[in-house]
C-alpha cells in the first residue's frame, strides 16, 4: 500500500509540474495511514445522534423498570391520621389513630387485602377499639389481560430503543463510508481533469507546431482551453483537500491522504437471517399479536366480588362484628350491584342492598366497537401479507446487488493486475527514454483510477452489509 501512495503522489505532482505550478510541495499524499477502525471510532465519538440514542436507551430501561414496579405486587402501610387530645382536668393525653395495611396483586385478578385497626393510647395504656379486614377480587375482568398488554408494550419500547441504537451505530458507519466514497469520487474527478489538461497541452503544442502565431484566434482558443482545463484541475484539487479536512475534523485525526486501509469483507447472506426477523414482518406480526390480545379482552362484561369483616368495640366494652359481601357486574351498559351485611351479634339485623344503572348508548357503542375490531383484524392480516411480499422482493433485489458487486470485484481485481503490468512496462520505457512523459503519466493515471475503483468496490461491500442488516431485527 505504501507503494500505491508514492505512485499516486508522483502522478499528481507531475501533473501540476507540467503547468509550471507545483501545488504538491506539501506532499498531499502520505505513505503513513491511520487504520479504518480508528478513524471510524473517532468519527462515531463526534456524532451527537449516537449519544442521543444511548441516552434514550437508558431512559427506556428506567421506564421499563418503573412499569414492572407499577404492575407488580404493591404494599402500603400507613399510621393513619393521629388525633391527640389534652385533658385539662386530668392533665392526661389521649391519642387516637387507625393504622392500616394493604396488599394488592394485579396479576391475581386484582386481588386486594386490606386491614385497619383503630387504636387508642391514654394513661391506661394501649387499647384496640376495632378491626376491619377486607378482601376483593375481580371474578370476570380484563385486568389480567390489560396487565399483560402493558408489560409487553413496556418491553417493546425497550427493544425499540435498543434497535434504534444499533441502527444509529450502523448509520454512523454508513455516513463515514459515504464520506470516504466522496473523497474517492473527487480524486477520480481530479485525475479525469488531469487527463483533460494533458490533452489540452498536446492540442496547444499542435497549434504551435502548425505555425499559428500568438495573436491568432486559433492559438488564443487553444490557450483558453488549456487554462480552463488547468483551472478544473486546481478546483478539483482544492475540493479534494477540503473533503479530507472535513473528515479529519470529524474523525479527530489529521488525514492527508486517500484512505486505502479498507478491509475486503465478505457479503452477508440475505437468507441467513430468519424470515420472521425481517423488520416489516416482525412489526406486522407483533401488531397482529397485540391486536388479537386486545380483542380478546371482554370489555362488555365485568364481574367483581368483595368480602369484608368489621368489628368495633363500644365504650361499654361490648363489641359489634359484621360480615359483608358484595358483587357488581356490568354488561353492555347495564350495571347491577348486590350486597349483603350480616351481623355476627344477634342484636343487630342483617341488611341487603342493591343498585341498577343503565347507559342507553353503551349497547350501540359496543356493536360499533366489535365491527371496528373486525376491520382492524383484516387490516393486520393484509399488513402481514404485504410484509412477506416485501421480504421476497427485497431478497430478490439484494441478491442481484450482491451478484453485481462480486462480479465488479472480480473484474476490478483483474483490471488492477493488467494496469499494474502496463504501468511497470511504461515506467521502464520512460526511464529508458523510449516514451515521453505524457504517455508515462497517462499509464500511471489509468492504474491509479483502477485502484480507486477497487477501493470504492470495497466500500460498496460495507454499505451492502449495513443495508441488509438494517432490514432485520437484531
Amino acid at each position: 500500500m505504501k507503494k500505491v501512495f508514492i505512485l499516486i503522489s508522483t502522478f499528481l505532482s507531475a501533473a501540476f509540474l507540467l503547468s509550471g505550478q507545483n501545488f504538491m510541495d506539501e506532499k498531499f499524499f502520505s505513505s503513513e495511514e491511520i487504520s479504518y477502525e480508528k478513524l471510524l471510532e473517532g468519527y462515531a465519538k463526534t456524532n451527537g445522534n449516537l449519544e442521543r440514542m444511548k441516552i434514550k436507551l437508558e431512559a427506556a430501561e428506567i421506564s421499563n423498570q418503573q412499569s414492572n414496579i407499577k404492575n407488580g405486587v404493591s404494599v402500603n402501610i400507613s399510621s393513619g391520621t393521629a388525633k391527640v387530645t389534652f385533658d385539662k382536668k386530668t392533665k392526661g393525653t389521649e391519642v387516637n389513630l387507625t393504622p392500616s395495611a394493604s396488599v394488592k396483586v394485579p396479576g391475581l385478578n386484582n386481588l386486594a387485602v386490606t386491614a385497619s385497626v383503630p387504636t387508642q393510647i391514654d394513661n391506661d395504656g394501649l387499647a384496640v377499639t376495632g378491626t376491619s379486614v377486607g378482601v376483593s377480587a375481580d371474578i370476570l375482568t380484563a385486568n389480567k389481560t390489560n396487565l399483560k398488554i402493558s408489560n409487553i408494550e413496556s418491553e417493546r419500547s425497550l427493544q425499540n430503543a435498543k434497535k434504534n441504537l444499533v441502527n444509529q451505530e450502523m448509520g454512523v458507519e454508513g455516513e463515514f463510508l459515504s464520506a470516504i466514497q466522496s473523497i474517492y469520487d473527487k480524486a477520480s474527478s481530479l485525475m479525469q481533469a488531469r487527463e483533460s489538461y494533458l490533452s489540452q497541452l498536446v492540442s496547444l503544442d499542435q497549434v504551435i507546431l502548425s505555425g499559428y502565431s500568438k495573436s491568432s484566434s486559433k492559438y488564443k482558443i487553444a490557450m483558453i482551453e488549456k487554462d480552463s482545463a488547468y483551472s478544473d484541475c486546481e478546483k478539483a484539487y482544492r475540493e479534494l483537500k477540503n473533503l479530507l479536512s472535513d473528515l479529519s475534523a470529524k474523525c479527530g485525526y489529521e488525514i492527508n491522504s486517500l484512505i486505502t486501509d479498507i478491509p475486503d469483507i465478505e457479503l452477508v447472506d440475505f437468507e441467513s437471517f430468519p424470515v420472521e426477523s425481517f423488520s416489516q414482518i416482525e412489526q406486522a406480526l407483533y401488531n397482529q399479536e397485540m391486536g388479537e390480545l386486545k380483542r380478546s379482552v371482554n370489555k362488555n362484561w365485568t364481574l367483581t366480588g368483595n368480602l369484608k369483616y368489621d368489628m368495633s368495640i363500644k365504650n361499654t366494652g361490648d363489641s359489634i362484628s359484621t360480615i359483608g359481601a358484595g358483587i357488581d357486574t356490568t354488561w353492555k351498559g347495564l350495571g347491577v350491584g348486590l350486597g349483603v351485611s350480616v351481623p355476627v351479634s344477634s342484636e343487630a339485623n342483617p341488611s341487603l342492598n342493591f343498585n341498577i344503572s343503565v347507559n342507553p348508548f353503551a349497547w350501540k357503542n359496543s356493536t360499533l366497537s366489535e365491527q371496528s375490531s373486525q376491520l382492524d383484524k383484516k387490516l393486520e392480516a393484509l399488513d402481514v401479507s404485504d410484509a412477506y411480499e416485501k421480504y421476497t422482493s427485497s431478497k430478490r433485489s439484494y441478491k442481484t446487488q450482491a451478484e453485481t458487486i462480486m462480479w465488479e470485484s472480480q473484474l476490478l481485481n483483474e483490471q488492477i493486475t493488467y494496469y499494474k503490468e502496463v504501468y511497470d512496462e511504461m515506467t521502464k520505457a520512460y526511464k529508458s527514454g523510449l516514451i515521453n512523459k505524457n504517455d508515462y503519466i497517462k499509464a500511471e493515471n489509468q492504474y491509479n483510477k483502477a485502484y480507486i475503483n477497487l477501493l470504492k468496490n470495497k466500500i460498496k461491500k460495507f454499505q451492502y452489509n449495513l443495508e441488509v442488516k438494517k432490514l432485520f431485527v437484531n
Side-chain angles (χ1 to χ4, degrees):
M1 246 175 230
K2 292 183 178 180
K3 291 182 178 179
V4 173
F5 281 125
I6 296 172
L7 291 174
I8 295 175
S9 177
T10 304
F11 160 73
L12 290 175
S13 296
F16 290 106
L17 280 170
L18 287 173
S19 67
Q21 297 277 349
N22 185 4
F23 292 96
M24 304 305 293
D25 285 344
E26 59 181 298
K27 198 173 176 59
F28 185 74
F29 289 90
S30 171
S31 59
E32 297 181 0
E33 186 177 7
I34 305 167
S35 69
Y36 174 88
E37 291 75 15
K38 285 187 177 180
L39 290 175
L40 176 58
E41 182 181 357
Y43 189 91
K45 287 181 180 179
T46 60
N47 188 280
N49 288 331
L50 185 59
E51 188 64 26
R52 187 174 290 106
M53 289 297 111
K54 291 179 180 179
I55 294 174
K56 287 185 177 181
L57 175 56
E58 292 180 10
E61 290 174 341
I62 293 174
S63 178
N64 186 57
Q65 293 176 12
Q66 290 176 326
S67 178
N68 291 335
I69 294 173
K70 179 181 177 181
N71 295 330
V73 177
S74 62
V75 178
N76 183 52
I77 300 175
S78 172
S79 66
T81 301
K83 180 182 179 181
V84 181
T85 304
F86 301 97
D87 193 324
K88 294 181 179 180
K89 295 181 179 180
T90 62
K91 296 184 180 180
T93 303
E94 180 180 289
V95 180
N96 292 278
L97 67 160
T98 306
S100 63
S102 64
V103 179
K104 188 174 183 180
V105 189
L108 295 178
N109 286 357
N110 253 351
L111 175 66
V113 178
T114 61
S116 62
V117 182
T119 305
Q120 178 180 310
I121 304 173
D122 53 21
N123 295 336
D124 295 329
L126 176 67
V128 175
T129 61
T131 303
S132 177
V133 179
V135 179
S136 64
D138 297 332
I139 301 173
L140 182 64
T141 180
N143 181 71
K144 188 173 183 178
T145 305
N146 289 332
L147 183 63
K148 181 179 180 180
I149 292 172
S150 177
N151 289 333
I152 292 175
E153 290 179 337
S154 176
E155 184 65 28
R156 181 71 175 186
S157 296
L158 178 57
Q159 290 175 359
N160 285 338
K162 292 179 180 178
K163 181 175 68 174
N164 291 337
L165 176 58
V166 172
N167 286 341
Q168 185 62 37
E169 289 173 343
M170 291 191 290
V172 168
E173 186 171 10
E175 292 176 7
F176 176 64
L177 291 168
S178 295
I180 297 176
Q181 190 174 41
S182 296
I183 292 173
Y184 291 161
D185 290 339
K186 187 56 63 178
S188 296
S189 298
L190 175 57
M191 292 180 184
Q192 191 63 42
R194 162 61 183 75
E195 288 186 358
S196 297
Y197 176 67
L198 288 178
S199 297
Q200 293 303 324
L201 286 179
V202 173
S203 297
L204 179 60
D205 288 341
Q206 290 175 349
V207 169
I208 295 173
L209 291 174
S210 298
Y212 289 96
S213 66
K214 293 184 179 181
S215 61
S216 66
S217 60
K218 189 75 173 178
Y219 180 86
K220 291 179 179 179
I221 291 174
M223 282 295 294
I224 291 173
E225 290 177 344
K226 186 267 295 183
D227 291 341
S228 177
Y230 173 75
S231 296
D232 291 340
C233 288
E234 185 178 25
K235 179 182 178 183
Y237 169 76
R238 292 180 181 277
E239 290 176 347
L240 178 59
K241 191 173 181 181
N242 289 336
L243 288 175
L244 287 169
S245 177
D246 290 342
L247 188 60
S248 297
K250 292 180 179 179
C251 293
Y253 294 98
E254 186 175 356
I255 306 171
N256 294 318
S257 62
L258 290 180
I259 299 170
T260 59
D261 183 29
I262 308 297
D264 193 9
I265 62 174
E266 296 290 332
L267 296 182
V268 297
D269 182 5
F270 191 96
E271 295 184 79
S272 66
F273 297 91
V275 178
E276 288 72 20
S277 68
F278 187 69
S279 291
Q280 287 184 246
I281 293 178
E282 192 272 343
Q283 184 63 50
L285 291 176
Y286 169 80
N287 292 340
Q288 188 179 53
E289 180 184 359
M290 289 300 293
E292 290 293 340
L293 193 59
K294 291 178 180 179
R295 284 188 290 272
S296 69
V297 177
N298 192 336
K299 301 176 182 179
N300 297 324
W301 190 14
T302 63
L303 185 64
T304 304
N306 62 79
L307 179 66
K308 190 174 183 181
Y309 169 79
D310 285 305
M311 186 271 286
S312 61
I313 301 175
K314 297 181 178 181
N315 294 332
T316 59
D318 297 331
S319 63
I320 300 177
S321 300
T322 305
I323 298 176
I327 190 169
D328 293 285
T329 183
T330 60
W331 183 69
K332 291 188 175 183
L334 176 63
V336 177
L338 180 65
V340 61
S341 178
V342 180
V344 176
S345 172
S346 59
E347 297 179 0
N349 299 318
S351 62
L352 181 69
N353 60 78
F354 65 92
N355 64 79
I356 298 176
S357 62
V358 178
N359 185 341
F361 300 103
W363 182 284
K364 180 62 177 178
N365 185 61
S366 175
T367 303
L368 293 174
S369 295
E370 291 175 358
Q371 293 175 355
S372 179
S373 295
Q374 292 304 311
L375 293 176
D376 290 339
K377 186 176 182 179
K378 292 179 180 179
L379 289 174
E380 290 163 3
L382 288 173
D383 289 341
V384 172
S385 178
D386 290 344
Y388 276 100
E389 290 182 5
K390 180 63 176 178
Y391 170 83
T392 302
S393 63
S394 296
K395 180 175 67 174
R396 182 169 56 251
S397 174
Y398 278 96
K399 182 179 180 181
T400 302
Q401 287 187 42
E403 291 173 350
T404 302
I405 291 173
M406 294 310 299
W407 168 82
E408 186 183 60
S409 177
Q410 182 180 356
L411 179 63
L412 290 171
N413 276 288
E414 293 173 356
Q415 286 182 348
I416 197 69
T417 301
Y418 169 75
Y419 284 120
K420 182 64 169 63
E421 291 176 356
V422 172
Y423 173 66
D424 289 341
E425 292 175 359
M426 296 295 280
T427 301
K428 292 178 182 178
Y430 174 66
K431 290 180 178 179
S432 301
L434 299 177
I435 62 172
N436 60 35
K437 194 168 187 176
N438 282 5
D439 292 334
Y440 163 73
I441 293 176
K442 286 180 180 179
E444 186 182 42
N445 192 50
Q446 291 298 320
Y447 170 74
N448 288 322
K449 286 198 298 183
Y451 184 71
I452 287 179
N453 287 335
L454 183 61
L455 293 174
K456 289 167 70 174
N457 178 262
K458 292 181 180 180
I459 291 291
K460 286 183 181 179
K461 292 179 180 178
F462 273 94
Q463 292 172 331
Y464 174 89
N465 286 357
L466 290 175
E467 288 179 11
V468 172
K469 289 177 182 179
K470 282 184 178 181
L471 295 176
F472 295 88
V473 177
N474 186 351

